[in-house]
Amino acid sequence: MKDNTRIEQEAISLVKREKNDWQDAVAFITDKVAFNMRNLIRQLRKNYWGIFNDPLDSVTGQKKTWVPLTEFVVESTIKNIDLDTKDINFRAKKAKSTGVTSLIRHIVKNRLDEMNFGEYLDEMERVLAIDGTAVWKTIEETDGNGKKVMLIRNVDLLNFYIDPVARSISEATSVIERSIMTPDEVRAMTGWKNTDGIMGTFDVSPIDDNRNMSMNTRGETALVEVYERWGKMPKSLVTGKSKDEAQEEYVEGRIIVSNLEKDPKVHLIELNEKKDCDGNPLRPYEECWLTRIPNRWYGKGQAEKVMDLQEYSNLVLNVRKTRALVSQLGLFKVRKGSGVTAQMVSRLAANGAIQVTNMDDIQQLPMQDASPSSYKDEEVIQSWSAKVT
């Protein structure tokens, strides 16, 4: 028999190893083409919100303008695919079933409204259009009246770890979800062990565990990182028997570990005996994709489809904007040694004049208006975006 300490160390190593392997979510779709999906998702979200890495133009020092192309295609997609609880309908196949069908329709709609199903759908549609993939977690809990209720919530892809080339959650060897809890919430969990001495930290990001991100996540409440793993695991972690370890037998189960990187604690190791209608292990997650990509679990959303077009559109607009600004302020040729400085020229619009010794000390250079082809480029970009999305 293996002692509890050894079992817990093996469970921690299993979760940590898989989490580190899938941390960057690098998916090779060909021998030479790979995607770092977590960095890509971060960039797609920045494109939706219209955020430059460097918001100021390096030449003029003026603030750059973001073309809301990604936001436009995302919102247009949401409008086209919007689904509401009223769209979920029932039809009687026989005339005598009309009455009971009407009753079922109202019962189901009432239950969906109680679950805030429509709000979850709205949130999922936006995630789907931006990230390309949406993951739902369905859990059963007991309310204050002792009644079992079904809860649904969206799982952020940056808090979800899976083999990036797996076909689906159900077919993956395992999946890991990262969630944030307070120490009191951890101690209140039924069936969890090793919770008495649990400690939280103040620098935990609820969205992304990338510590190198330039964001201030420090709050006033200590938080605990909890990693929940669903999937295949050595049977010996459940039974503690050395013969199961020797036979390398695997079972479907769940492991819960907190503070994985510093002072990890195992709170739960249990079998998962739930099956779906086909007899496969039932995990509490379900995914959907906007567009499926071969050899990549992560789908392709509208934001990714126009990613390069977004960059090109920003370039076209800001070059034209800089040209217009220079044209309005004027471009001048100054004789070396004339005493005319750049500061004097910059204040020309306010002062109206510059004192010079000779009239040839400063001359305004002719500036051409922006080429009509610049506006044609925008039309082409919009046309391509509409076709690809």
Side-chain angles (χ1 to χ4, degrees):
M1 294 291 291
K2 296 193 294 186
D3 57 35
N4 289 334
T5 302
R6 182 184 171 191
I7 291 175
E8 291 180 359
Q9 288 300 322
E10 290 180 4
I12 292 171
S13 298
L14 176 61
V15 177
K16 182 179 293 188
R17 183 171 61 253
E18 290 182 342
K19 186 252 185 182
N20 291 337
D21 288 344
W22 302 331
Q23 176 71 48
D24 295 326
V26 177
F28 281 85
I29 62 171
T30 70
D31 293 342
K32 297 182 179 180
V33 179
F35 291 88
N36 186 317
M37 292 307 305
R38 303 182 89 78
N39 284 343
L40 177 61
I41 290 171
R42 295 181 187 112
Q43 183 61 51
L44 297 178
R45 294 178 181 181
K46 287 174 64 177
N47 287 358
Y48 174 77
W49 290 109
I51 301 173
F52 286 104
N53 291 330
D54 185 0
L56 299 181
D57 187 274
S58 58
V59 176
T60 64
Q62 300 291 321
K63 185 177 180 180
K64 291 188 286 189
T65 300
W66 185 281
V67 179
L69 178 64
T70 301
E71 184 179 3
F72 171 73
V73 296
V74 166
E75 296 303 323
S76 297
T77 300
I78 294 172
K79 182 179 179 181
N80 291 331
I81 69 173
D82 185 41
L83 183 68
D84 199 78
T85 53
K86 68 177 183 298
D87 299 316
I88 303 174
N89 210 340
F90 296 84
R91 180 174 60 86
K93 292 185 176 181
K94 298 180 181 179
K96 63 180 181 180
S97 303
T98 303
V100 69
T101 301
S102 177
L103 178 62
I104 291 175
R105 182 185 300 117
H106 287 88
I107 292 176
V108 171
K109 187 178 185 308
N110 183 62
R111 291 299 301 273
L112 292 176
D113 290 341
E114 290 178 352
M115 296 167 58
N116 298 319
F117 191 72
E119 296 179 9
Y120 286 114
L121 278 176
D122 293 340
E123 181 181 354
M124 182 200 69
E125 290 161 1
R126 179 163 279 101
V127 170
L128 199 59
I130 299 174
D131 295 347
T133 310
V135 177
W136 267 5
K137 184 177 184 180
T138 307
I139 54 179
E140 187 180 67
E141 289 190 355
T142 303
D143 61 14
N145 299 322
K147 179 182 177 181
K148 289 187 177 181
V149 294
M150 196 71 69
L151 300 179
I152 298 175
R153 64 179 180 84
N154 286 294
V155 179
D156 195 304
L157 289 185
L158 297 180
N159 284 331
F160 194 74
Y161 302 87
I162 185 174
D163 184 349
V165 297
R167 175 161 179 80
S168 65
I169 291 176
S170 60
E171 296 180 19
T173 304
S174 62
V175 296
I176 301 173
E177 180 194 359
R178 171 183 177 268
S179 58
I180 305 300
M181 304 174 66
T182 64
D184 289 340
E185 289 174 336
V186 173
R187 285 188 284 267
M189 297 301 295
T190 303
W192 287 22
K193 61 181 181 179
N194 299 328
T195 61
D196 292 339
I198 194 72
M199 299 292 292
T201 58
F202 294 93
D203 59 348
V204 176
S205 170
I207 301 174
D208 195 339
D209 69 340
N210 186 354
R211 292 294 187 271
N212 295 324
M213 296 187 70
S214 56
M215 59 172 61
N216 182 13
T217 60
R218 187 174 182 85
E220 300 299 327
T221 304
L223 299 173
V224 179
E225 286 183 301
V226 177
Y227 291 87
E228 183 176 5
R229 180 192 183 274
W230 291 81
K232 298 293 184 182
M233 64 181 185
K235 186 177 180 180
S236 60
L237 293 183
V238 180
T239 63
K241 297 180 180 179
S242 300
K243 70 173 185 177
D244 292 329
E245 183 179 15
Q247 294 174 355
E248 296 184 348
E249 191 172 351
Y250 289 82
V251 294
E252 185 76 15
R254 178 167 69 143
I255 300 174
I256 298 179
V257 181
S258 67
N259 295 330
L260 189 61
E261 302 300 331
K262 184 179 180 181
D263 190 24
K265 295 183 182 298
V266 176
H267 300 297
L268 187 67
I269 301 176
E270 65 177 5
L271 285 173
N272 175 24
E273 299 178 332
K274 296 182 178 180
K275 306 288 184 180
D276 60 17
C277 56
D278 296 324
N280 298 318
L282 184 61
R283 297 167 183 171
Y285 304 100
E286 189 74 22
E287 75 270 62
C288 63
W289 305 270
L290 191 72
T291 303
R292 294 227 60 180
I293 301 297
N295 303 323
R296 199 177 94 176
W297 176 77
Y298 294 87
K300 188 174 184 179
Q302 306 294 53
E304 185 178 353
K305 293 177 183 179
V306 299
M307 187 174 177
D308 292 336
L309 294 175
Q310 175 70 72
E311 183 179 357
Y312 183 36
S313 183
N314 289 342
L315 176 64
V316 169
L317 176 63
N318 285 282
V319 166
R320 189 170 68 238
K321 178 182 174 183
T322 300
R323 189 181 187 88
L325 179 64
V326 173
S327 178
Q328 289 178 0
L329 296 179
L331 191 63
F332 296 88
K333 179 177 67 174
V334 178
R335 185 175 61 85
K336 186 176 181 181
S338 64
V340 179
T341 64
Q343 289 77 12
M344 295 170 63
V345 176
S346 66
R347 293 195 295 268
L348 182 59
N351 297 337
I354 295 178
Q355 289 184 351
V356 295
T357 303
N358 299 313
M359 297 304 295
D360 294 336
D361 286 349
I362 183 170
Q363 294 180 3
Q364 185 172 5
L365 296 176
M367 287 289 298
Q368 295 181 353
D369 294 333
S371 173
S373 64
S374 173
Y375 297 92
K376 188 66 177 179
D377 288 344
E378 286 189 3
E379 295 178 6
V380 173
I381 291 171
Q382 292 175 6
S383 175
W384 287 349
S385 300
K387 289 178 181 178
V388 77
T389 58

